[in-house]
Amino acid sequence: MSEEHKPLLVARKLVKHFPITGGVFGREVAKVHAVNGVSLELHKGECVGLVGESGCGKSTLGKTLVRLLDPTSGTILFDGKDISTLGYKQLRPLKRRMQMIFQDPYGSLNPRMTIENILREALLFHKVVDKGGVSARIDELLDLAGLSKAVRRKYPHEFSGGQRQRVGIARALTVNPELILADEPVSALDVSVQAQILNLLQGLRAELGLSYLFVSHDLKVVQHFCERVFIMYLGFIVEELPCDDLETDVRHPYSKALLSAIPVDDPRDRRDTEVLEGDVPSPIQLPKGCPFHTRCPQAEEICKKENPELVVIGKAHRVACHVVARELGAQN
C-alpha cells in the first residue's frame, strides 16, 4: 500500500456515552448514546466529510477520534498506533500530529491574548522551534493563513469572523500537524467568507500534505470540499460514499432526505423535496432496531427489530438499510 493511501486514522466499533447522574448519591441513572459502534478509516492526504443534522453525534465522534474526549469503548488507531487508552503524557507527542479548527472562531481564542501570544504559546509549549526562531515562525504562520504581519499585536475582538477563523487555522498549523479535525469551521461565517476559508484550507492541504476530517451539517459544502462522506444519524453511520456520487447514487432514505433539502440554484427546477415526519428519537433511549425506522417512509417489520449492519454495495460505498440490502441482493 502506498504511503498516500495508508490509513492514517482508523476507528473500530467506537462508542461514546455520557452518563446522566441523579439522586442523593449522584449515581448513574441513564446515559446519552452519542456515538454507537462507529467504524471508519481516513487515509493520508485525504479529506473526509462527516455529515448529519444537529445532535447526531458528529462533533462528539470527531473529538473522540482525536482524543479530546475519551472513548467509552472501541479502538482508535492513529498511524497504526492504538491511542484508545493512552494517558495524557503518552498522548502529548501525538497531539502535535492531530489538531482542531473549532466552529466558533471567537470563543476558541483567548480574548486577553494578542494574536502573537496565542501563536507563541503553542510554539513554546510543544517546543516546535527554539525561542530565537519563534518570531520568524509566527510571521510564516500568519502568511500561510493569509494574514499580514501587522495583526500580531491585535486582539481577537478586533477582527471579523473570517479573520478570527484564519487565526484559528494559523494556531492549528503551529505544530506541523498531519491531521486536522475541522468542526463546522465555516458555519458561523457569511457565504462569501465561507468560500475564502474553504479555498484557504484546500490550498494548505495541497501545500502541506494535510488530511482533514471535515464535520458539517451542510451537505453542499461537504460535496464541494471532500472526497468521501460519512452520513450520521443518532450516533450511527448510515451511509458512506464518494462525494462525486452524492447526486446520483445515495441509497439510504435519510441520505436522500438530506440531499433533497439542499437549496437548488435554478429557480425553475421544481424537484420534489422529501420531508421527514416526526422528531429525532432521544439519544438517551434509542429505539430498538434501525435507529431511523421511526421516521423512515420505507420501514418494514424487520426494521423495528434488527439494527442493520453497514454493508458494501459498491466501491467505497456502504449503507446500513435492510430494504436497500435486500433490493441489491435481489439484483445480484
Side-chain angles (χ1 to χ4, degrees):
M1 183 178 292
S2 66
E3 196 70 16
E4 291 81 7
H5 294 91
K6 178 182 176 182
L8 178 63
L9 184 69
V10 178
R12 293 285 179 261
K13 297 182 178 179
L14 191 63
V15 173
K16 178 60 182 176
H17 294 162
F18 295 98
I20 298 174
T21 57
V24 177
F25 299 103
R27 294 174 178 170
E28 182 178 319
V29 295
K31 60 182 66 174
V32 176
H33 301 79
V35 177
N36 303 296
V38 168
S39 296
L40 56 79
E41 291 185 358
L42 185 150
H43 299 273
K44 290 188 176 182
E46 190 178 26
C47 180
V48 172
L50 194 57
V51 173
E53 57 195 322
S54 297
C56 72
K58 55 188 184 296
S59 292
T60 299
L61 173 59
K63 291 175 182 178
T64 305
L65 286 170
V66 298
R67 285 300 313 275
L68 287 179
L69 295 173
D70 295 331
T72 301
S73 64
T75 304
I76 306 168
L77 302 176
F78 181 75
D79 202 14
K81 183 179 179 63
D82 189 347
I83 65 171
S84 312
T85 58
L86 294 184
Y88 173 77
K89 289 185 178 180
Q90 296 168 305
L91 270 175
R92 182 172 171 180
L94 290 171
K95 289 289 187 182
R96 288 184 54 170
R97 303 173 66 186
M98 302 181 289
Q99 287 296 300
M100 183 167 179
I101 300 170
F102 295 90
Q103 177 178 1
D104 182 0
Y106 185 71
S108 61
L109 300 174
N110 190 332
R112 300 190 177 195
M113 295 178 69
T114 63
I115 305 309
E116 180 177 20
N117 288 335
I118 287 172
L119 299 179
R120 182 189 302 276
E121 181 182 52
L123 289 168
L124 294 179
F125 179 81
H126 288 282
K127 300 178 181 179
V128 180
V129 294
D130 57 37
K131 291 185 177 180
V134 168
S135 183
R137 179 57 178 162
I138 290 174
D139 287 343
E140 183 180 345
L141 289 166
L142 293 174
D143 183 62
L144 282 171
L147 294 167
S148 71
K149 300 175 184 178
V151 308
R152 291 175 61 131
R153 291 180 172 79
K154 292 187 177 181
Y155 290 86
H157 73 270
E158 298 180 73
F159 293 92
S160 66
Q163 289 174 318
R164 284 196 289 263
Q165 195 59 287
R166 288 177 184 270
V167 174
I169 292 169
R171 182 178 59 182
L173 296 176
T174 54
V175 291
N176 303 312
E178 298 170 45
L179 170 66
I180 289 183
L181 167 61
D183 186 10
E184 302 265 16
V186 296
S187 64
L189 307 177
D190 294 337
V191 174
S192 60
V193 181
Q194 286 184 11
Q196 295 173 19
I197 297 299
L198 291 173
N199 288 336
L200 171 63
L201 291 173
Q202 284 183 326
L204 291 171
R205 178 189 170 199
E207 183 176 351
L208 304 177
L210 298 171
S211 304
Y212 290 122
L213 180 60
F214 191 86
V215 178
S216 179
H217 66 275
D218 191 332
L219 201 54
K220 194 71 173 179
V221 170
V222 169
Q223 186 178 12
H224 165 74
F225 188 71
C226 303
E227 284 123 43
R228 283 189 298 132
V229 59
F230 291 93
I231 298 173
M232 283 192 76
Y233 182 79
L234 209 59
F236 296 88
I237 299 290
V238 297
E239 188 162 11
E240 172 199 0
L241 74 162
C243 288
D244 288 343
D245 297 339
L246 272 170
E247 295 283 356
T248 59
D249 202 29
V250 291
R251 297 299 185 96
H252 197 280
Y254 178 64
S255 305
K256 291 179 178 179
L258 283 183
L259 195 65
S260 72
I262 297 176
V264 180
D265 297 331
D266 186 353
R268 295 168 295 182
D269 189 342
R270 299 295 183 178
R271 68 182 65 178
D272 294 333
T273 300
E274 297 187 28
V275 180
L276 296 176
E277 297 182 358
D279 298 323
V280 180
S282 170
I284 298 174
Q285 190 170 4
L286 296 176
K288 293 181 180 180
C290 174
F292 187 60
H293 85 264
T294 59
R295 305 173 72 196
C296 181
Q298 303 176 21
E300 299 178 353
E301 197 61 32
I302 190 175
C303 304
K304 302 175 184 178
K305 300 175 181 178
E306 298 180 18
N307 191 358
E309 296 287 335
L310 272 171
V311 295
V312 178
I313 62 171
K315 186 177 180 181
H317 195 169
R318 298 187 297 163
V319 66
C321 178
H322 292 299
V323 177
V324 172
R326 187 188 68 242
E327 291 176 350
L328 291 176
Q331 292 173 3
N332 296 328

